[in-house]
Each structure stands twice: as structure tokens, then as C-alpha cells.
Coordinates of all heavy atoms in Angstrom, one line a residue:
M1 N 143.8 59.2 76.6 CA 142.5 59.0 75.9 C 141.7 58.1 76.6 O 142.1 57.0 77.1 CB 142.7 58.6 74.5 CG 141.4 58.4 73.7 SD 141.5 57.6 72.1 CE 141.9 59.0 71.1
I2 N 140.3 58.4 76.8 CA 139.5 57.5 77.5 C 139.0 56.4 76.5 O 139.1 56.6 75.3 CB 138.2 58.2 78.0 CG1 137.4 58.8 76.8 CG2 138.5 59.2 79.0 CD1 136.0 59.3 77.2
D3 N 138.7 55.3 77.1 CA 138.3 54.2 76.2 C 136.8 54.2 75.8 O 136.1 55.0 76.4 CB 138.6 52.8 76.8 CG 137.9 52.4 78.0 OD1 137.0 53.2 78.4 OD2 138.2 51.4 78.6
V4 N 136.3 53.4 74.9 CA 134.9 53.4 74.5 C 134.0 53.2 75.6 O 132.9 53.8 75.7 CB 134.7 52.5 73.3 CG1 134.9 51.0 73.8 CG2 133.4 52.7 72.6
R5 N 134.3 52.3 76.5 CA 133.4 52.0 77.6 C 133.1 53.2 78.5 O 132.0 53.5 78.9 CB 134.0 50.9 78.5 CG 133.8 49.5 78.0 CD 134.3 48.5 79.0 NE 133.9 47.1 78.7 CZ 132.7 46.6 78.8 NH1 131.8 47.4 79.3 NH2 132.4 45.4 78.5
Y6 N 134.1 54.0 78.7 CA 134.1 55.2 79.6 C 133.2 56.2 78.8 O 132.3 56.9 79.4 CB 135.4 55.7 79.9 CG 135.4 56.8 80.9 CD1 135.7 56.6 82.2 CD2 135.1 58.1 80.6 CE1 135.7 57.5 83.2 CE2 135.1 59.1 81.5 CZ 135.4 58.9 82.8 OH 135.4 59.9 83.8
A7 N 133.4 56.3 77.5 CA 132.7 57.3 76.7 C 131.1 56.9 76.7 O 130.3 57.8 76.8 CB 133.1 57.3 75.3
V8 N 130.8 55.7 76.5 CA 129.4 55.3 76.6 C 128.8 55.4 77.9 O 127.7 55.9 78.0 CB 129.4 53.7 76.1 CG1 127.9 53.2 76.3 CG2 129.7 53.5 74.6
T9 N 129.5 55.1 78.9 CA 129.0 55.3 80.3 C 128.7 56.8 80.6 O 127.7 57.2 81.1 CB 130.1 54.8 81.4 OG1 130.2 53.4 81.1 CG2 129.5 55.1 82.8
S10 N 129.6 57.6 80.1 CA 129.4 59.1 80.2 C 128.1 59.6 79.5 O 127.3 60.3 80.0 CB 130.6 59.9 79.6 OG 131.7 59.7 80.4
A11 N 127.8 59.1 78.3 CA 126.7 59.4 77.6 C 125.4 58.9 78.3 O 124.4 59.5 78.4 CB 126.8 58.8 76.1
Y12 N 125.5 57.6 78.8 CA 124.3 57.1 79.5 C 124.1 57.9 80.8 O 122.9 58.2 81.0 CB 124.6 55.7 80.0 CG 124.2 54.6 79.0 CD1 125.0 53.9 78.2 CD2 122.7 54.3 78.9 CE1 124.6 52.9 77.4 CE2 122.4 53.3 78.1 CZ 123.3 52.6 77.3 OH 122.9 51.6 76.5
Q13 N 125.1 58.3 81.4 CA 124.9 59.0 82.8 C 124.3 60.4 82.4 O 123.4 60.9 83.1 CB 126.2 59.2 83.5 CG 126.6 57.9 84.1 CD 128.0 57.9 84.8 OE1 128.8 58.9 84.6 NE2 128.2 57.0 85.6
Y14 N 124.7 61.0 81.4 CA 124.2 62.3 80.9 C 122.7 62.2 80.6 O 121.9 63.0 81.0 CB 125.0 62.9 79.8 CG 124.6 64.3 79.3 CD1 125.3 65.4 80.0 CD2 123.7 64.6 78.4 CE1 124.9 66.7 79.6 CE2 123.4 65.8 78.0 CZ 124.0 66.9 78.6 OH 123.6 68.2 78.3
F15 N 122.4 61.2 79.8 CA 121.0 60.9 79.5 C 120.2 60.7 80.7 O 119.1 61.4 80.8 CB 120.9 59.7 78.6 CG 119.5 59.5 78.0 CD1 119.1 60.0 76.9 CD2 118.7 58.6 78.7 CE1 117.8 59.8 76.3 CE2 117.4 58.5 78.3 CZ 116.9 59.0 77.1
E16 N 120.6 59.9 81.6 CA 119.8 59.7 82.8 C 119.7 61.0 83.6 O 118.5 61.2 84.2 CB 120.5 58.6 83.7 CG 120.4 57.3 83.1 CD 119.0 56.7 83.1 OE1 118.2 57.1 83.9 OE2 118.7 55.9 82.1
S17 N 120.6 61.9 83.6 CA 120.5 63.1 84.4 C 119.4 64.0 83.8 O 119.0 64.9 84.5 CB 121.8 63.8 84.5 OG 122.2 64.4 83.3
I18 N 119.1 63.9 82.5 CA 118.2 64.8 81.9 C 116.9 64.1 81.4 O 116.0 64.7 80.7 CB 118.7 65.7 80.7 CG1 119.2 64.7 79.6 CG2 119.9 66.5 81.2 CD1 119.5 65.4 78.3
K19 N 116.8 62.8 81.7 CA 115.7 62.0 81.2 C 114.3 62.6 81.6 O 113.4 62.6 80.7 CB 115.8 60.6 81.8 CG 114.8 59.7 81.3 CD 115.0 58.2 81.5 CE 114.9 57.9 83.0 NZ 115.0 56.4 83.2
D20 N 114.1 63.2 82.8 CA 112.9 63.8 83.1 C 112.5 64.9 82.2 O 111.3 65.2 81.9 CB 112.9 64.3 84.5 CG 114.0 65.4 84.8 OD1 115.0 65.3 84.2 OD2 113.7 66.3 85.7
I21 N 113.5 65.7 81.7 CA 113.2 66.8 80.7 C 112.8 66.2 79.4 O 111.9 66.9 78.7 CB 114.5 67.6 80.5 CG1 114.9 68.3 81.8 CG2 114.3 68.8 79.5 CD1 116.2 68.9 81.8
L22 N 113.3 65.1 79.0 CA 112.9 64.4 77.7 C 111.6 63.7 77.7 O 111.1 63.3 76.6 CB 114.0 63.5 77.2 CG 115.5 64.1 77.1 CD1 116.5 63.0 76.8 CD2 115.4 65.1 75.9
G23 N 111.0 63.4 78.8 CA 109.8 62.7 78.8 C 109.6 61.7 79.9 O 108.6 61.1 80.2
G24 N 110.8 61.5 80.7 CA 110.7 60.7 81.9 C 110.1 59.4 81.7 O 110.6 58.4 81.1
D25 N 108.9 59.2 82.4 CA 108.2 57.9 82.4 C 107.6 57.5 81.1 O 107.1 56.4 81.0 CB 107.1 58.0 83.5 CG 106.0 59.0 83.2 OD1 106.2 59.8 82.3 OD2 104.9 58.9 83.8
Q26 N 107.7 58.3 80.1 CA 107.3 58.0 78.7 C 108.3 57.4 77.8 O 108.1 57.1 76.7 CB 106.5 59.1 78.0 CG 105.4 59.6 78.8 CD 104.7 60.9 78.2 OE1 105.1 61.2 77.1 NE2 103.9 61.5 78.9
L27 N 109.5 57.2 78.4 CA 110.7 56.6 77.7 C 110.8 55.1 78.1 O 110.7 54.8 79.2 CB 112.0 57.4 78.0 CG 112.0 58.8 77.9 CD1 113.3 59.4 78.3 CD2 111.7 59.2 76.4
A28 N 111.3 54.3 77.1 CA 111.4 52.9 77.4 C 112.6 52.4 76.5 O 112.8 53.0 75.5 CB 110.2 52.2 77.2
D29 N 113.2 51.3 76.9 CA 114.1 50.5 76.1 C 115.3 51.3 75.6 O 115.6 51.4 74.4 CB 113.4 50.0 74.9 CG 114.1 48.8 74.2 OD1 115.0 48.2 74.8 OD2 113.9 48.5 73.0
L30 N 116.0 52.0 76.5 CA 117.2 52.7 76.2 C 118.3 51.7 75.8 O 118.6 50.8 76.6 CB 117.7 53.6 77.4 CG 118.9 54.4 77.2 CD1 118.7 55.5 76.2 CD2 119.3 55.1 78.6
R31 N 118.9 52.0 74.6 CA 120.0 51.1 74.1 C 121.1 51.9 73.4 O 120.9 52.8 72.8 CB 119.4 50.1 73.1 CG 118.5 49.1 73.6 CD 118.1 48.0 72.6 NE 117.5 48.7 71.4 CZ 116.4 48.3 70.8 NH1 115.8 47.2 71.1 NH2 116.0 48.9 69.7
L32 N 122.2 51.3 73.4 CA 123.4 51.8 72.6 C 123.2 51.4 71.2 O 122.9 50.3 70.9 CB 124.7 51.2 73.2 CG 125.9 51.6 72.4 CD1 126.2 53.0 72.4 CD2 127.1 50.7 72.9
E33 N 123.2 52.3 70.3 CA 123.0 52.1 68.9 C 124.2 52.2 68.0 O 124.5 51.3 67.2 CB 121.9 53.1 68.4 CG 120.7 53.1 69.1 CD 119.7 51.9 68.8 OE1 120.0 51.1 67.9 OE2 118.7 51.7 69.5
E34 N 125.1 53.2 68.3 CA 126.3 53.4 67.5 C 127.4 54.1 68.3 O 127.1 54.8 69.2 CB 126.0 54.4 66.3 CG 125.0 53.9 65.3 CD 124.8 54.9 64.2 OE1 125.0 56.1 64.4 OE2 124.3 54.5 63.1
V35 N 128.6 53.7 68.0 CA 129.8 54.3 68.5 C 130.8 54.6 67.4 O 131.1 53.8 66.6 CB 130.5 53.4 69.6 CG1 131.8 53.9 70.1 CG2 129.5 53.1 70.7
E36 N 131.5 55.8 67.5 CA 132.4 56.2 66.5 C 133.4 57.1 67.1 O 133.0 58.1 67.9 CB 131.7 56.8 65.3 CG 132.6 57.3 64.2 CD 131.8 58.0 63.1 OE1 130.6 58.1 63.2 OE2 132.6 58.5 62.2
L37 N 134.7 57.0 66.8 CA 135.7 57.9 67.2 C 135.7 59.0 66.0 O 135.9 58.6 64.9 CB 137.0 57.2 67.4 CG 138.2 58.0 67.9 CD1 137.8 58.7 69.3 CD2 139.4 57.2 68.1
S38 N 135.7 60.3 66.4 CA 135.8 61.3 65.4 C 137.1 61.2 64.6 O 138.1 60.6 65.1 CB 135.6 62.7 65.9 OG 136.7 62.9 66.8
E39 N 137.1 61.7 63.3 CA 138.3 61.6 62.5 C 139.5 62.3 63.2 O 140.6 61.8 63.1 CB 138.1 62.2 61.1 CG 137.1 61.4 60.3 CD 137.0 62.0 58.9 OE1 137.9 62.7 58.4 OE2 135.9 61.7 58.2
D40 N 139.3 63.3 63.9 CA 140.4 64.1 64.6 C 140.7 63.4 65.9 O 141.7 63.9 66.6 CB 140.1 65.5 64.7 CG 139.0 65.8 65.6 OD1 138.4 64.9 66.2 OD2 138.5 67.0 65.7
K41 N 140.0 62.4 66.3 CA 140.2 61.6 67.6 C 140.0 62.5 68.8 O 140.4 62.1 69.9 CB 141.5 60.9 67.5 CG 141.8 59.9 66.5 CD 142.9 59.1 66.7 CE 143.2 58.1 65.6 NZ 142.3 57.7 64.7
H42 N 139.3 63.6 68.6 CA 139.1 64.5 69.8 C 137.8 64.1 70.6 O 137.5 64.7 71.6 CB 139.0 66.0 69.4 CG 140.4 66.5 69.0 ND1 140.6 67.4 68.1 CD2 141.7 66.2 69.5 CE1 141.9 67.6 67.9 NE2 142.5 66.9 68.8
A43 N 136.9 63.3 69.9 CA 135.6 63.1 70.6 C 135.1 61.6 70.1 O 135.3 61.1 69.0 CB 134.6 64.0 70.1
W44 N 134.4 61.0 71.1 CA 133.6 59.8 70.8 C 132.2 60.3 70.4 O 131.7 61.2 71.1 CB 133.5 58.9 72.0 CG 134.9 58.3 72.3 CD1 135.8 58.5 73.2 CD2 135.3 57.0 71.6 NE1 136.8 57.6 73.2 CE2 136.5 56.7 72.3 CE3 134.8 56.2 70.6 CZ2 137.3 55.6 71.8 CZ3 135.5 55.1 70.2 CH2 136.7 54.8 70.9
L45 N 131.6 59.8 69.4 CA 130.3 60.1 69.0 C 129.5 58.8 69.3 O 129.6 57.8 68.8 CB 130.2 60.3 67.4 CG 131.2 61.4 67.0 CD1 131.2 61.6 65.5 CD2 130.9 62.8 67.7
I46 N 128.5 59.0 70.3 CA 127.8 57.9 70.8 C 126.3 58.1 70.5 O 125.7 59.2 70.8 CB 127.9 57.8 72.4 CG1 129.4 57.9 72.8 CG2 127.2 56.7 73.0 CD1 130.2 56.7 72.5
T47 N 125.6 57.2 69.9 CA 124.2 57.3 69.6 C 123.5 56.3 70.5 O 123.7 55.2 70.6 CB 123.9 56.9 68.2 OG1 124.6 57.8 67.3 CG2 122.4 57.1 67.9
L48 N 122.5 56.9 71.3 CA 121.6 56.2 72.1 C 120.2 56.2 71.6 O 119.8 57.3 71.1 CB 121.6 56.7 73.6 CG 122.9 56.7 74.3 CD1 122.7 57.3 75.7 CD2 123.5 55.3 74.4
G49 N 119.5 55.1 71.6 CA 118.1 55.1 71.1 C 117.2 54.7 72.2 O 117.6 54.0 73.2
Y50 N 116.0 55.1 72.1 CA 115.0 54.8 73.1 C 113.5 54.9 72.4 O 113.4 55.6 71.4 CB 115.1 55.8 74.3 CG 114.9 57.2 74.0 CD1 113.7 57.9 74.0 CD2 116.1 58.0 73.7 CE1 113.6 59.2 73.6 CE2 115.9 59.3 73.3 CZ 114.7 59.9 73.3 OH 114.6 61.3 73.0
D51 N 112.6 54.3 73.1 CA 111.2 54.4 72.6 C 110.5 55.5 73.4 O 110.7 55.6 74.6 CB 110.5 53.0 72.8 CG 111.0 51.9 71.9 OD1 111.6 52.3 70.9 OD2 110.9 50.7 72.3
L52 N 109.8 56.3 72.7 CA 109.0 57.4 73.3 C 107.6 57.2 73.0 O 107.2 56.8 71.8 CB 109.5 58.7 72.8 CG 108.8 60.0 73.3 CD1 109.1 60.2 74.8 CD2 109.3 61.2 72.5
L53 N 106.7 57.3 74.1 CA 105.3 57.2 73.9 C 104.8 58.2 72.8 O 105.0 59.3 72.9 CB 104.6 57.3 75.2 CG 103.1 57.2 75.2 CD1 102.8 55.8 74.8 CD2 102.5 57.5 76.6
D54 N 104.1 57.6 71.7 CA 103.6 58.5 70.7 C 102.2 58.9 71.0 O 101.2 58.1 70.8 CB 103.7 57.7 69.4 CG 103.4 58.7 68.2 OD1 103.0 59.8 68.4 OD2 103.5 58.1 67.0
K55 N 102.0 60.1 71.4 CA 100.7 60.6 71.8 C 99.9 61.1 70.6 O 98.7 61.5 70.8 CB 100.8 61.7 72.8 CG 101.4 61.3 74.1 CD 101.4 62.5 75.1 CE 102.0 62.1 76.4 NZ 102.1 63.2 77.4
N56 N 100.5 61.1 69.4 CA 99.8 61.6 68.3 C 99.1 60.5 67.4 O 98.7 60.9 66.3 CB 100.8 62.4 67.4 CG 101.3 63.6 68.2 OD1 100.7 64.2 68.8 ND2 102.6 63.8 67.9
R57 N 99.0 59.4 67.9 CA 98.4 58.3 67.2 C 96.8 58.5 67.2 O 96.3 58.8 68.2 CB 98.7 56.9 67.7 CG 100.1 56.5 67.4 CD 100.6 55.2 68.1 NE 99.6 54.1 68.1 CZ 99.7 53.0 67.3 NH1 100.7 52.9 66.7 NH2 98.8 52.1 67.4
S58 N 96.2 58.3 66.1 CA 94.7 58.5 66.0 C 94.1 57.2 66.4 O 94.7 56.1 66.6 CB 94.3 58.7 64.6 OG 94.5 57.6 63.7
Q59 N 92.8 57.3 66.7 CA 92.1 56.0 67.1 C 92.0 55.0 66.0 O 92.2 53.8 66.3 CB 90.6 56.4 67.5 CG 90.5 57.2 68.8 CD 89.1 57.5 69.2 OE1 88.3 57.6 68.3 NE2 88.9 57.7 70.5
F60 N 92.0 55.4 64.8 CA 92.1 54.6 63.6 C 93.4 53.8 63.6 O 93.5 52.5 63.4 CB 92.0 55.3 62.3 CG 92.1 54.5 61.1 CD1 91.1 53.6 60.8 CD2 93.2 54.5 60.4 CE1 91.2 52.8 59.6 CE2 93.4 53.6 59.2 CZ 92.3 52.9 58.9
E61 N 94.5 54.4 63.9 CA 95.8 53.8 64.0 C 95.9 52.8 65.1 O 96.5 51.7 64.9 CB 97.0 54.8 64.2 CG 97.3 55.6 62.9 CD 98.3 56.7 63.2 OE1 98.2 57.5 64.1 OE2 99.3 56.6 62.5
E62 N 95.3 53.1 66.2 CA 95.2 52.3 67.4 C 94.5 50.9 66.9 O 94.9 49.8 67.4 CB 94.5 52.9 68.5 CG 95.2 54.1 69.2 CD 96.5 53.7 69.9 OE1 96.6 52.5 70.4 OE2 97.4 54.5 70.0
L63 N 93.5 51.1 66.2 CA 92.7 49.8 65.8 C 93.4 49.1 64.6 O 93.4 47.8 64.6 CB 91.3 50.2 65.3 CG 90.4 50.8 66.4 CD1 89.1 51.4 65.7 CD2 90.1 49.7 67.4
M64 N 94.0 49.7 63.7 CA 94.5 49.1 62.5 C 96.0 48.6 62.7 O 96.4 47.7 62.0 CB 94.5 50.1 61.2 CG 93.0 50.5 61.0 SD 92.0 49.1 60.7 CE 92.6 48.3 59.2
V65 N 96.8 49.2 63.5 CA 98.1 48.9 63.8 C 98.3 48.4 65.1 O 98.4 49.1 66.1 CB 99.0 50.1 63.5 CG1 100.5 49.7 63.6 CG2 98.8 50.7 62.1
P66 N 98.3 47.1 65.3 CA 98.4 46.4 66.6 C 99.8 46.4 67.1 O 100.5 45.4 67.3 CB 97.9 45.1 66.3 CG 98.3 44.7 64.9 CD 98.2 46.0 64.2
K67 N 100.3 47.6 67.4 CA 101.7 47.7 68.0 C 101.7 48.6 69.2 O 100.7 49.4 69.3 CB 102.7 48.1 67.0 CG 102.5 49.5 66.5 CD 103.7 50.0 65.6 CE 103.6 51.4 65.2 NZ 104.7 52.0 64.6
K68 N 102.7 48.6 69.9 CA 102.7 49.5 71.1 C 102.8 51.0 70.5 O 103.4 51.2 69.5 CB 104.0 49.2 71.9 CG 103.9 47.9 72.6 CD 105.1 47.7 73.5 CE 105.0 46.4 74.2 NZ 106.1 46.0 75.0
P69 N 102.3 51.9 71.2 CA 102.2 53.2 70.7 C 103.6 54.0 71.0 O 103.5 55.1 71.6 CB 101.1 53.9 71.5 CG 101.0 53.1 72.8 CD 101.4 51.7 72.4
F70 N 104.6 53.4 70.6 CA 105.9 54.0 70.7 C 106.6 54.4 69.4 O 106.3 53.6 68.4 CB 106.9 53.1 71.5 CG 106.5 53.0 73.0 CD1 105.7 52.0 73.4 CD2 106.9 53.9 74.0 CE1 105.4 51.8 74.8 CE2 106.6 53.8 75.3 CZ 105.8 52.7 75.7
R71 N 107.4 55.4 69.5 CA 108.2 55.6 68.3 C 109.7 55.7 68.7 O 109.9 56.0 69.9 CB 107.8 56.9 67.5 CG 108.1 58.2 68.2 CD 107.7 59.4 67.5 NE 108.1 60.6 68.1 CZ 107.4 61.2 69.0 NH1 106.3 60.8 69.4 NH2 107.9 62.3 69.6
R72 N 110.6 55.2 67.9 CA 112.0 55.2 68.2 C 112.7 56.6 68.0 O 112.4 57.2 67.0 CB 112.7 54.1 67.4 CG 114.1 53.7 67.9 CD 114.0 52.8 69.0 NE 115.3 52.4 69.6 CZ 115.5 52.0 70.9 NH1 114.5 52.0 71.6 NH2 116.7 51.7 71.2
E73 N 113.4 57.0 69.0 CA 114.1 58.3 68.9 C 115.5 58.1 69.1 O 115.9 57.0 69.8 CB 113.6 59.2 70.1 CG 112.1 59.6 70.0 CD 111.9 60.8 69.0 OE1 112.7 61.7 69.0 OE2 110.8 60.8 68.4
Y74 N 116.4 58.9 68.7 CA 117.9 58.8 68.8 C 118.5 60.0 69.1 O 118.1 61.1 68.7 CB 118.5 58.3 67.4 CG 117.9 57.0 66.9 CD1 116.8 57.0 66.1 CD2 118.4 55.8 67.4 CE1 116.2 55.8 65.6 CE2 117.8 54.6 66.9 CZ 116.7 54.6 66.0 OH 116.2 53.5 65.6
K75 N 119.5 60.0 70.1 CA 120.3 61.2 70.5 C 121.8 60.8 70.2 O 122.2 59.7 70.5 CB 120.1 61.4 72.0 CG 118.7 61.8 72.4 CD 118.3 63.1 71.8 CE 116.9 63.5 72.3 NZ 116.3 64.5 71.6
L76 N 122.5 61.8 69.7 CA 123.9 61.7 69.4 C 124.7 62.6 70.4 O 124.4 63.8 70.6 CB 124.2 62.2 68.0 CG 125.7 62.2 67.6 CD1 126.3 60.8 67.5 CD2 125.7 62.9 66.2
F77 N 125.5 61.9 71.1 CA 126.3 62.5 72.2 C 127.8 62.7 71.7 O 128.3 61.7 71.2 CB 126.2 61.8 73.5 CG 124.9 61.6 74.1 CD1 124.1 60.6 73.6 CD2 124.5 62.5 75.0 CE1 122.8 60.6 74.2 CE2 123.3 62.4 75.6 CZ 122.4 61.4 75.1
R78 N 128.3 63.8 71.8 CA 129.8 64.1 71.6 C 130.4 64.1 72.9 O 130.2 65.0 73.8 CB 129.9 65.4 70.9 CG 131.3 65.8 70.5 CD 131.4 67.1 69.7 NE 132.8 67.3 69.4 CZ 133.5 66.9 68.4 NH1 132.9 66.1 67.5 NH2 134.7 67.2 68.2
V79 N 131.3 63.1 73.1 CA 132.0 62.9 74.4 C 133.5 63.2 74.1 O 134.1 62.6 73.3 CB 131.8 61.5 75.0 CG1 132.6 61.4 76.3 CG2 130.3 61.2 75.2
N80 N 134.1 64.2 74.9 CA 135.5 64.5 74.8 C 136.3 63.4 75.1 O 136.2 62.6 76.1 CB 135.8 65.6 75.8 CG 137.2 66.2 75.6 OD1 138.2 65.5 75.8 ND2 137.3 67.4 75.3
S81 N 137.2 63.0 74.1 CA 138.1 61.7 74.2 C 139.1 61.9 75.3 O 139.7 60.8 75.6 CB 138.6 61.4 72.9 OG 139.5 62.3 72.4
E82 N 139.4 63.1 75.8 CA 140.5 63.2 76.8 C 139.8 63.2 78.2 O 140.3 62.6 79.1 CB 141.3 64.5 76.6 CG 142.1 64.5 75.3 CD 143.2 63.3 75.3 OE1 143.8 63.1 76.5 OE2 143.3 62.7 74.3
T83 N 138.7 64.0 78.4 CA 138.1 64.2 79.7 C 137.0 63.3 80.0 O 136.6 63.1 81.2 CB 137.7 65.7 79.8 OG1 136.6 65.9 78.9 CG2 138.8 66.6 79.5
G84 N 136.2 62.9 79.0 CA 135.0 62.0 79.1 C 133.8 62.9 79.4 O 132.8 62.3 79.6
E85 N 134.0 64.2 79.3 CA 132.8 65.1 79.4 C 132.0 65.1 78.2 O 132.4 65.2 77.0 CB 133.4 66.5 79.8 CG 132.3 67.5 80.0 CD 132.8 68.9 80.2 OE1 134.1 69.0 80.6 OE2 132.1 69.8 80.1
V86 N 130.6 65.1 78.4 CA 129.7 65.2 77.3 C 129.7 66.7 77.0 O 129.4 67.6 77.7 CB 128.3 64.7 77.7 CG1 127.3 65.1 76.5 CG2 128.3 63.3 78.0
E87 N 130.0 66.9 75.6 CA 130.1 68.3 75.1 C 128.9 68.8 74.4 O 128.6 70.0 74.3 CB 131.4 68.4 74.2 CG 132.7 68.2 74.9 CD 133.9 68.3 74.0 OE1 133.7 68.1 72.7 OE2 134.9 68.5 74.4
A88 N 128.2 67.8 73.8 CA 126.9 68.1 73.1 C 126.0 66.9 73.0 O 126.5 65.7 73.1 CB 127.3 68.5 71.7
M89 N 124.7 67.2 72.8 CA 123.7 66.2 72.5 C 122.8 66.7 71.4 O 122.4 67.9 71.5 CB 122.8 65.9 73.8 CG 121.7 64.9 73.5 SD 120.6 64.7 74.9 CE 119.6 66.2 74.7
K90 N 122.7 65.9 70.4 CA 121.9 66.3 69.2 C 120.9 65.3 68.9 O 121.0 64.1 69.2 CB 122.8 66.6 68.0 CG 123.8 67.7 68.2 CD 124.6 67.8 66.9 CE 125.6 69.0 67.0 NZ 126.4 69.1 65.8
I91 N 119.8 65.7 68.2 CA 118.8 64.7 67.6 C 119.5 64.0 66.5 O 120.1 64.7 65.6 CB 117.6 65.5 67.2 CG1 116.9 66.2 68.3 CG2 116.7 64.5 66.5 CD1 115.8 67.1 67.9
R92 N 119.4 62.7 66.5 CA 120.1 61.9 65.5 C 119.0 61.4 64.5 O 118.0 60.8 64.9 CB 120.7 60.7 66.0 CG 121.3 59.7 65.1 CD 122.5 60.1 64.4 NE 123.3 59.0 63.9 CZ 123.1 58.5 62.7 NH1 122.2 58.9 61.9 NH2 123.8 57.4 62.3
Q93 N 118.9 62.0 63.3 CA 117.9 61.5 62.3 C 118.5 60.2 61.6 O 119.6 60.1 61.3 CB 117.8 62.6 61.2 CG 117.3 63.9 61.7 CD 115.9 63.8 62.2 OE1 115.1 63.0 61.9 NE2 115.6 64.8 63.1
V94 N 117.5 59.3 61.5 CA 117.8 58.1 60.8 C 117.0 57.9 59.5 O 115.9 58.2 59.4 CB 117.5 56.8 61.7 CG1 117.8 55.5 61.1 CG2 118.3 57.0 63.0

């Protein structure tokens, strides 16, 4: 069985390999959010979070809410606990 560090590294590498499809230069602050070993111990469940430029903000929001125009997004990766291969990536709702 692979250890948690290997599983997290696999998820990060997978994310980096498809980052351009997800928004590339509009992504910021990639962080590890959650780690869990599945009940059957066949997979590590890794949640990575990142900020994505929010292009849907109105001019009113820009004036009234003095924050960066980013929203937090989360991806859940299923990493095979034997091989370290990423088997799935899903949107993680919080």
C-alpha cells in the first residue's frame, strides 16, 4: 500500500498535468484540503482546493466587496492505494 504522501503527490501531479484545461493562469493558491483512506482501503481520497478568477462579478460587487475576484474551488481525487494511480477526479461541493 502506498503512503499518504505518495497519494497526495499523485493528486498534485495529476492536477498540474491538466491545469491548463481547468483555467491555467486563472488559478491560484493550490492547497491540500482533506485526506481520507476509503473504508475498503482501496483508495485514498484527496481534496485539493484552489482559487479561480471569478469573471461573473458585477461592477457593483467590485465596488462594494473589497476582496480579490476569486472563488474557492475544490477537486476530489480518488488515488488507488496499491498503484498510486489517479482513478477519478470529481467536483467537491462544500
Side-chain angles (χ1 to χ4, degrees):
M1 176 188 279
I2 64 168
D3 67 4
V4 68
R5 285 183 163 284
Y6 192 96
V8 170
T9 299
S10 292
Y12 268 106
Q13 289 174 344
Y14 187 87
F15 184 89
E16 287 297 325
S17 74
I18 63 166
K19 184 166 68 169
D20 60 323
I21 298 169
L22 298 173
D25 61 345
Q26 297 178 11
L27 304 177
D29 197 23
L30 179 63
R31 291 188 305 224
L32 175 63
E33 303 285 351
E34 297 176 337
V35 175
E36 178 182 359
L37 185 59
S38 65
E39 287 186 29
D40 62 8
K41 298 190 182 343
H42 289 146
W44 286 100
L45 306 174
I46 311 293
T47 302
L48 301 180
Y50 57 93
D51 291 335
L52 179 64
L53 184 61
D54 188 356
K55 294 182 178 180
N56 297 323
R57 286 171 49 107
S58 68
Q59 288 180 335
F60 177 75
E61 286 177 305
E62 293 289 336
L63 292 172
M64 299 305 295
V65 183
K67 67 175 187 169
K68 293 182 180 178
F70 289 95
R71 69 178 185 274
R72 196 80 181 151
E73 298 275 326
Y74 302 93
K75 297 292 185 197
L76 176 63
F77 297 85
R78 181 179 177 85
V79 179
N80 185 296
S81 64
E82 293 299 320
T83 67
E85 181 180 342
V86 174
E87 297 177 337
M89 178 185 80
K90 297 181 179 183
I91 296 170
R92 170 81 160 85
Q93 299 292 339
V94 179

